[in-house]
Amino acid sequence: MSPAYGPCMPPSSPVPYGSWPTPVTSALVVRAAARLGEVAVDAGSPGHPDVWWSESRPGEGGRSALVRRSADGTVTDVLPPPWNARTRVHEYGGAAWAVAGGTLWFTHFDDQRLYRLSPGDDGPVAVTPEPELPAGVRYADLTPTADGSLLAVRETHAASGAAADVVNEVVRLAPDGTAEVLVSGPDFVSDPRPGPGGELAWLQWDHPAMPWDAAQLVVRAADGTDTVVAGGAGESAVQPTWDADGALWFCCDRTDVWALWRWRPGGEAELVLDTGTEIAGPQWVFGARRFALLPGGRVVAAAGGDGGDRLVVLGPDGSTSEVRLPGWTALRYLTAAGDGVVCAAGSPAREPVVLRADLTGRAHVLRPARDLGLDPAWFSVPEDVTFPTEERGTGIAEAHAVVYPPTNPEVSAPEGDRPPLVVMVHGGPTSAHARGLDLEIQYFTSRGFCVAHVDYRGSTGHGRRYRDALQGRWGVVDLDDVVACARYLADAGRVDPARMAIRGGSAGGYTTLAALTLRPGVFTAGASHFGVADLGALAADTHKFESRYLDGLVAPWPAGAEVYAQRSPITRVSALDTPLAVFQGAEDRVVPPEQAEVLVAALRERGVPHAYLLFEGEQHGFRRAENIRAALDGELSFYAQVWGFDLPAEEGIAPIEVVR
């Protein structure tokens, strides 16, 4: 640890907020910062419960590497560069790989073909043919079966390239790549899971619903009869999981929160565990797991709530108990491992690790986080805040945020000064703030910023009623809530009302831009990362998964074109007089760069101070280390220039060009 950044240095003379020197640099944010993905236990290897996980590595061009920890503790990179286990199904991907009995199946990002790697092979072997079209055929949600075949979601793109011509199906792939279509017809399918008696379970939904709106759980019996177990209009099912006794477990939000349900053939679905808080989350990507079935009829689930996740254990007699894992508050990808679980775990003070835990609360780290070389005193401790907001016919007049106060153990601010505020807006918009350590947040708080991450109405984690409050109101209640949060903190004397910024990516970028154009006069700066500027353009030209998303959030398209125009920042650019930084990927299919360029042209024409960085090779979200750094440092430099504070000279941050 550098002496300059030890835990007990006495405070120096006061330093203005925003100018605080910090070891949390953009280089630290991306240095070896492999983003932990899915975790799996190879239960198909008797006596050898190898643990596998994926890592997205910015330092390697953002590729998704696969890592195996053998029973003897040996850790091995299974796929060397340039192999990249990542799928583009739904554009967001997930579940691009699966392992059973030591054999790995995976989708390679560059060509979206399926490959197999068996013990003793010299390298991956292609299972599916080369694509005939640029978009071709994609595979996700891979599930190996006992007979050596593979269940998968197959997404086929036509020569037209139109979203309407994309076909999603459940297929069974033989070892030689021969495909048998099992489910076809619904607009979307996911989670193909074979049952112990020859059954098949899967999820399906149709436009204009999203999976969290109305995903149905369907079971096909061995005789070919299909039964809708749960889901449909007004409720959503997720994560079907078969037990060895023939029972099917899943989560459903019929009671408002995603709770745990069970179904047996010939019966009705029954609620078995409702913690009052969400167990599951929105199905943006394939393969999410928030509960696991253990031996002896026990079930363990990760339940959210204030303060983060905890494990809830359901016994075979219906009794429940709670297991706290000290220091771990963000749990993902729960997988059964003997009498315990393996999962990805994080906290506000620690980056994600792969963790093995038993049901007494004892835990063992299998894949440690990187050593940041920082004392925990550098990390801002989050506070849950609930604040009043406009009701707007939703029946809900309050919203939620997680607030991170400025934190730096080595400096203090001038007496009477108040910190600048950065309101962060999550993407989605059907998403929520994650509670693990986010070095981008600490990048700002350790410099003297207060950060508020707003879970506006429409966010997940607070039940279906809260989530549905955004239906028909995107661009209205989310703006109410980000504005109300900023004013709430300013009125409480916690932040400087003259230095309040809003920033977000994707859907969060839309709320950022809309807040500046439709609610001017509150924020004095903004930063849009691949944000939506034109709702109509997004509705008319995006990928299949989200092509009808806005029908629910805004209005049916194109019948509701007038509503889209009213809520689109690009049509209200005459009201935009707030300095704005724009960051965009050149190959983004979710939010095409044309939207950013139209917005920037309007800013230039009006003479509004702005900055624009376009990153070649990036898609929806930045994965390359150099681009992540450029966007983060560029945003900080932008705030420094428009608010008039100095950056620490020792960091050597190159000023971003601000066009005035």
Side-chain angles (χ1 to χ4, degrees):
M1 181 180 295
S2 168
Y5 300 118
C8 301
M9 297 291 289
S12 60
S13 59
V15 179
Y17 286 115
S19 299
W20 293 356
T22 173
V24 188
T25 63
S26 64
L28 180 67
V29 171
V30 302
R31 175 176 56 81
R35 302 174 187 174
L36 186 60
E38 292 129 315
V39 178
V41 175
D42 186 4
S45 299
H48 301 281
D50 294 352
V51 178
W52 296 59
W53 62 85
S54 61
E55 297 179 353
S56 176
R57 297 175 176 173
E60 297 180 18
R63 82 176 186 100
S64 291
L66 294 183
V67 184
R68 179 183 64 231
R69 187 184 191 276
S70 301
D72 62 4
T74 303
V75 177
T76 308
D77 269 18
V78 179
L79 295 177
W83 294 107
N84 187 357
R86 182 178 163 212
T87 177
R88 291 189 61 184
V89 175
H90 293 179
E91 296 299 335
Y92 293 103
W97 60 278
V99 61
T103 295
L104 169 70
W105 301 72
F106 70 97
T107 297
H108 179 48
F109 181 73
D110 288 356
D111 58 13
Q112 292 296 291
R113 298 173 71 185
L114 270 177
Y115 290 80
R116 184 179 61 246
L117 180 63
S118 299
D121 287 350
D122 292 333
V125 176
V127 175
T128 55
E130 293 187 19
E132 297 179 1
L133 301 171
V137 181
R138 308 170 181 180
Y139 298 89
D141 221 344
L142 312 182
T143 304
T145 62
D147 64 2
S149 62
L150 183 78
L151 298 181
V153 171
R154 183 177 69 182
E155 184 175 273
T156 305
H157 291 249
S160 67
D165 295 331
V166 175
V167 177
N168 294 75
E169 301 167 304
V170 173
V171 298
R172 186 196 311 273
L173 292 156
D176 64 358
T178 304
E180 175 191 3
V181 177
L182 302 180
V183 181
S184 186
D187 289 328
F188 300 97
V189 289
S190 75
D191 294 77
R193 302 292 182 258
E199 310 91 343
L200 174 67
W202 72 90
L203 299 177
Q204 64 181 39
W205 64 98
D206 291 306
H207 283 315
M210 298 298 286
W212 47 84
D213 295 325
Q216 292 180 312
L217 172 56
V218 184
V219 172
R220 178 169 296 163
D223 65 3
T225 304
D226 289 352
T227 300
V228 177
V229 172
E235 69 178 44
S236 170
V238 67
Q239 197 189 330
T241 304
W242 290 100
D243 204 345
D245 66 0
L248 181 63
W249 296 75
F250 60 96
C251 287
C252 182
D253 62 359
R254 188 178 298 177
T255 62
D256 187 47
V257 297
W258 271 302
L260 192 60
W261 293 67
R262 180 178 56 203
W263 174 83
R264 298 183 187 278
E268 297 291 329
E270 58 177 332
L271 176 65
V272 289
L273 178 63
D274 187 342
T275 65
T277 59
E278 306 270 30
I279 292 176
Q283 195 180 180
W284 277 107
V285 298
F286 296 96
R289 296 188 305 277
R290 291 276 290 179
F291 72 87
L293 308 182
L294 301 186
R298 293 173 300 169
V299 183
V300 59
D306 289 347
D309 294 333
R310 79 274 191 198
L311 294 180
V312 177
V313 181
L314 176 69
D317 60 355
S319 62
T320 60
S321 59
E322 188 171 303
V323 178
R324 288 281 182 178
L325 300 178
W328 305 108
T329 58
L331 308 176
R332 299 180 299 126
Y333 299 112
L334 252 66
T335 305
D339 290 330
V341 295
V342 170
C343 64
S347 79
R350 286 187 277 189
E351 290 184 320
V353 303
V354 176
L355 195 72
R356 177 185 285 130
D358 64 24
L359 301 188
T360 69
R362 292 178 299 185
H364 177 62
V365 175
L366 303 181
R367 180 265 197 193
R370 59 177 171 159
D371 181 7
L372 297 174
L374 298 176
D375 187 273
W378 283 98
F379 298 136
S380 179
V381 178
E383 307 169 17
D384 290 291
V385 172
T386 299
F387 53 90
T389 189
E390 294 286 338
E391 189 267 340
R392 297 278 187 186
T394 65
I396 301 172
E398 63 181 24
H400 308 285
V402 181
V403 176
Y404 295 79
T407 302
N408 187 311
E410 295 186 358
V411 298
S412 60
E415 188 173 352
D417 198 7
R418 286 187 284 180
L421 170 68
V422 175
V423 169
M424 291 191 175
V425 190
H426 61 69
T430 311
S431 187
H433 171 51
R435 288 184 169 272
L437 176 63
D438 187 335
L439 284 180
E440 284 198 11
I441 292 175
Q442 307 298 335
Y443 176 92
F444 287 105
T445 57
S446 63
R447 298 169 189 276
F449 289 78
C450 177
V451 171
H453 225 301
V454 181
D455 274 356
Y456 51 83
R457 286 167 293 175
S459 303
T460 50
H462 305 278
R464 186 178 185 108
R465 180 168 167 263
Y466 192 86
R467 187 171 78 245
D468 282 351
L470 197 64
Q471 290 294 301
R473 301 181 180 92
W474 193 29
V476 180
V477 299
D478 53 322
L479 306 190
D480 287 339
D481 295 352
V482 295
V483 167
C485 181
R487 287 176 171 163
Y488 177 82
L489 295 173
D491 291 345
R494 298 190 59 174
V495 300
D496 181 356
R499 294 185 295 170
M500 299 197 301
I502 182 169
R503 59 104 74 175
S506 189
Y510 164 72
T511 298
T512 293
L513 297 171
L516 299 182
T517 53
L518 302 178
R519 306 293 173 85
V522 178
F523 298 102
T524 57
S528 170
H529 297 252
F530 40 93
V532 178
D534 187 340
L535 288 177
L538 180 64
D541 181 22
T542 191
H543 57 107
K544 180 186 177 183
F545 182 63
E546 290 185 287
S547 61
R548 300 290 300 279
Y549 187 20
L550 302 192
D551 280 26
L553 292 175
V554 182
W557 176 263
E562 184 177 345
V563 179
Y564 284 76
Q566 290 171 350
R567 298 185 193 173
S568 290
I570 201 66
T571 65
R572 301 300 183 95
V573 75
S574 60
L576 182 56
D577 58 3
T578 305
L580 178 66
V582 179
F583 306 93
Q584 177 68 40
E587 297 180 11
D588 193 336
R589 277 283 293 119
V590 179
V591 179
E594 289 78 12
Q595 292 196 30
E597 288 160 6
V598 170
L599 179 69
V600 169
L603 288 166
R604 184 181 302 112
E605 182 179 349
R606 283 184 44 78
V608 178
H610 64 279
Y612 179 44
L613 290 183
L614 179 68
F615 298 117
E616 296 296 331
E618 292 285 13
Q619 298 179 40
H620 196 61
F622 307 144
R623 302 175 71 88
R624 297 180 180 176
E626 64 272 20
N627 295 337
I628 297 171
R629 290 195 63 188
L632 194 56
D633 287 341
E635 183 178 343
L636 176 66
S637 170
F638 184 75
Y639 295 147
Q641 292 181 61
V642 299
W643 285 337
F645 62 84
D646 295 325
L647 299 181
E650 58 268 24
E651 283 194 63
I653 295 176
I656 194 172
E657 181 184 3
V658 177
V659 179
R660 300 179 184 272

